[in-house]
Amino acid sequence: MIQAVAVSLLAVAGFILALWWTNIAGIARGIVGASMAGVAALFDNQLSDDAKEVAARRAGGQLILGGLNLAGRIVAALAAAGLPILLADLVGLVPGSAVLDVMLRLDYIVIVSILAFATVKIVNRLRRTDAAAESSGPQYSPVDQFVHNLAFSGPGVQKMAARAEARLIPRPPMPDVSQPIFVTSLARGGTTAVLNALHDAPEVATHTYRDMPFVTAPALWDKLAGGQRRGVRRRQRAHGDGMKIDLESAEAFEEVIWKMFWPERYKEASIPLWQARDTNEKADRFLRNHMSSIIRARNLQAGPQSVEKTRYCSKNNANIARIPYLLKSYPDCRIVVPVRRPESHAESLLRQHNNFSKLQTQDSFVSRYMADIGHFEFGNLHKPFRFSGFEPTQMDTHTSDYWLQYWTCAFRDLLEYKDRCIFLLQDDLRASPQVTMNRLCDDLSLLSSGQSFEQYFHSKPDRAVSENFTTAHLRDALAIYRELEECAH
């Protein structure tokens, strides 16, 4: 009996080692990835019909080869398991039939399965390093990519998701929306830090990564995706700026709705500004309902014991191009504009432009993801807004002067609405975050509830090398900045 058990354990060990040595898990993941890639291509609205056909054929070929590869490795693993049994039988140690009888016993199967599972868990935990747990940038599995491509296969999908949520989750009823908060500026201006600080105010509701990819149906999607059981390890975001994110982190997904109702504005190399006369009542109604949906979803997730969330807050850098529209369509809104020193802001934009140009070249899904959520701030997808006096074709986007000119034209236009916007200087947020944010919360009628705001903002002075810019361009930018300083919060 003891010899039969020993030989059976050798057979199990041989089977497991053969599976590990032949990397059968990697082959299986490759097969799943190939199938998902083929199906996802059919829902990719950025591919032509010919490109979809090519992708489907390629995926089919990979599935056939992967299946044959997988079958061969399973045969090899079975051979490795049978070898100890055969040798023990040949040398007369124990009959092969006796070993098989032991291995087919229910108690044996249960005990060995538990031990094997525990061993795998322990080995994986020992192999997991802190670096792997906090790896930078998002990592999208084939399944993630498939679901994303399905959600963004056309604007009708997101609209249908919103209608489905309204019908399937009727309670609690949609809350009223008053005084929505729009945080906006050029990218890299400090909007994410301000959003994170406001996100933690007890009555504020924002988008979070948990809402992706069905951003128009946050409550319904959260239930379908597993609710609080769904999670990801906290990791550094793709910007490489040290900011860590997880599913509960606030993020900017509101632009998806603007793209749904104004798709023609995103088809050219640059994007025209929204004026008050461009009002679209259907879009306004959809966005206001969406604000209610976000508030309701965050209250459902927080639970009945939490402070009720009543104020919608978004970070959308693209809103800098539609200030007059927002003021007309949502007259009770509050617009918060973080302002960074022009030379530092331009240098940061250039670094991220180069960073995302590289990322989008290396990974096509990064491009697809950014395009779908309307992030055209930098990288290969960069589509500048047509601010007054800005001529994007006259300068190279990989130069500091391009981004400095962009900054100058953007904030020159914004000064026209200085009486309707709340300007926050990045220098003040770094030097005295508590005083600056407490004052902002008062202006927004928010309860700061004793929050400590130092954690959200860098404390080092924000400076860049001025020699990287043309003197005349920098002089114009600094003149605009001084005007902003005078009306800043």
Side-chain angles (χ1 to χ4, degrees):
M1 179 65 177
I2 295 177
Q3 291 92 336
V5 171
V7 172
S8 70
L9 291 176
L10 284 175
V12 171
F15 183 76
I16 294 174
L17 288 174
L19 292 179
W20 174 80
W21 184 73
T22 58
N23 190 29
I24 197 167
I27 299 300
R29 284 194 297 269
I31 293 174
V32 173
S35 62
M36 287 296 177
V39 176
L42 300 178
F43 293 101
D44 193 338
N45 55 17
Q46 296 186 3
L47 294 179
S48 65
D49 290 341
D50 290 341
K52 290 180 180 180
E53 184 178 353
V54 170
R57 288 179 178 176
R58 184 186 302 117
Q62 291 173 341
L63 282 174
I64 293 173
L65 292 176
L68 293 173
N69 198 349
L70 187 65
R73 290 163 194 256
I74 292 175
V75 170
L78 290 173
L83 184 60
I85 300 174
L86 179 61
L87 291 177
D89 196 357
L90 290 175
V91 300
L93 180 62
V94 61
S97 58
V99 176
L100 292 176
D101 287 342
V102 170
M103 296 180 71
L104 292 175
R105 287 175 51 176
L106 180 60
D107 56 348
Y108 178 91
I109 294 173
V110 171
I111 293 172
V112 170
S113 297
I114 292 174
L115 290 175
F117 179 78
T119 302
V120 170
K121 279 289 189 181
I122 293 171
V123 170
N124 285 339
R125 180 165 294 184
L126 291 174
R127 293 177 60 188
R128 185 184 300 150
T129 64
D130 290 338
E134 297 182 350
S135 58
S136 63
Q139 297 179 357
Y140 305 103
S141 71
V143 175
D144 292 333
Q145 294 187 28
F146 167 73
V147 176
H148 176 97
N149 289 345
L150 175 62
F152 289 95
S153 57
V157 176
Q158 293 288 347
K159 292 179 182 179
M160 182 175 63
R163 290 194 296 268
E165 177 176 281
R167 293 177 181 176
L168 298 176
I169 306 184
R171 297 183 183 279
M174 288 288 197
D176 293 331
V177 175
S178 64
Q179 295 185 314
I181 303 166
F182 299 108
V183 180
T184 188
S185 184
L186 290 182
R188 309 303 301 162
T191 51
T192 298
V194 172
L195 175 71
N196 287 336
L198 293 177
H199 167 70
D200 287 343
E203 69 268 50
V204 167
T206 75
H207 266 295
T208 68
Y209 282 95
R210 188 173 290 279
D211 299 332
M212 278 295 288
F214 292 97
V215 297
T216 58
L220 177 60
W221 171 240
D222 190 49
K223 285 183 177 296
L224 293 176
Q228 295 302 316
R229 297 190 302 276
R230 180 171 60 119
V232 296
R233 289 196 298 267
R234 193 166 180 83
R235 64 177 73 249
Q236 186 178 161
R237 64 179 187 163
H239 299 67
D241 53 7
M243 190 168 290
K244 304 290 180 59
I245 58 173
D246 58 23
L247 289 183
E248 308 305 332
S249 301
E251 187 43 295
F253 297 129
E254 186 187 87
E255 192 64 12
V256 171
I257 295 172
W258 295 90
K259 285 179 73 246
M260 284 166 48
F261 287 95
W262 282 276
E264 70 283 352
R265 287 179 174 253
Y266 299 85
K267 292 180 179 179
E268 299 181 17
S270 58
I271 303 173
L273 306 185
W274 278 255
Q275 304 300 333
R277 62 179 178 273
D278 296 322
T279 299
N280 182 325
E281 292 183 2
K282 185 179 293 186
D284 293 346
R285 186 165 54 252
F286 189 97
L287 182 55
R288 191 171 288 277
N289 288 338
H290 178 68
M291 296 176 191
S292 295
S293 181
I294 292 296
I295 294 173
R296 183 174 66 163
R298 298 295 89 91
N299 280 322
L300 285 171
Q301 290 158 7
Q305 304 304 318
S306 302
V307 175
E308 183 181 7
K309 297 184 180 297
T310 58
R311 299 285 297 279
Y312 171 82
C313 177
S314 78
K315 182 207 86 169
N316 188 351
N317 295 325
N319 278 340
I320 196 176
R322 51 179 77 103
I323 300 299
Y325 184 103
L326 292 173
L327 292 173
K328 180 180 179 182
S329 297
Y330 308 97
D332 64 338
C333 74
R334 310 306 303 275
I335 299 176
V336 180
V337 184
V339 180
R340 192 173 180 181
R341 296 186 63 85
E343 67 276 22
S344 302
H345 201 160
E347 283 292 294
S348 182
L349 282 166
L350 175 60
R351 284 194 299 272
Q352 286 305 317
H353 181 59
N354 292 333
N355 175 36
F356 273 90
S357 294
K358 181 179 179 181
L359 284 174
Q360 291 164 355
T361 299
Q362 293 173 342
D363 187 346
S364 61
F365 185 71
V366 173
S367 295
R368 171 74 198 271
Y369 182 94
M370 300 293 281
D372 285 337
I373 63 176
H375 283 207
F376 301 106
E377 294 95 337
F378 26 61
N380 298 333
L381 302 177
H382 175 52
K383 292 178 183 286
F385 292 110
R386 298 177 196 165
F387 297 114
S388 303
F390 185 66
E391 298 293 340
T393 59
Q394 295 183 358
M395 283 183 289
D396 183 359
T397 60
H398 293 280
T399 62
S400 299
D401 273 341
Y402 173 91
W403 296 101
L404 186 65
Q405 282 290 87
Y406 194 47
W407 186 99
T408 301
C409 295
F411 284 96
R412 183 189 290 127
D413 279 2
L414 207 58
L415 277 171
E416 295 184 25
Y417 309 98
K418 60 184 178 182
D419 295 332
R420 301 293 305 276
C421 297
I422 301 174
F423 292 102
L424 298 177
L425 296 181
Q426 178 75 228
D427 286 352
D428 290 343
L429 290 169
R430 288 171 179 255
S432 53
Q434 197 67 37
V435 173
T436 305
M437 287 301 300
N438 280 338
R439 191 181 303 127
L440 175 63
C441 288
D442 289 341
D443 284 353
L444 297 176
S445 301
L446 294 177
L447 299 173
S448 62
S449 65
Q451 277 181 267
S452 176
F453 291 107
E454 283 84 358
Q455 60 181 309
Y456 303 102
F457 304 99
H458 293 292
S459 58
K460 294 181 179 179
D462 188 30
R463 294 290 183 268
V465 180
S466 58
E467 287 76 11
N468 294 339
F469 305 95
T470 300
T471 302
H473 291 166
L474 183 58
R475 183 175 60 246
D476 293 342
L478 290 174
I480 298 295
Y481 183 74
R482 284 191 290 271
E483 289 188 61
L484 291 165
E485 279 185 305
E486 292 178 3
C487 56
H489 182 68

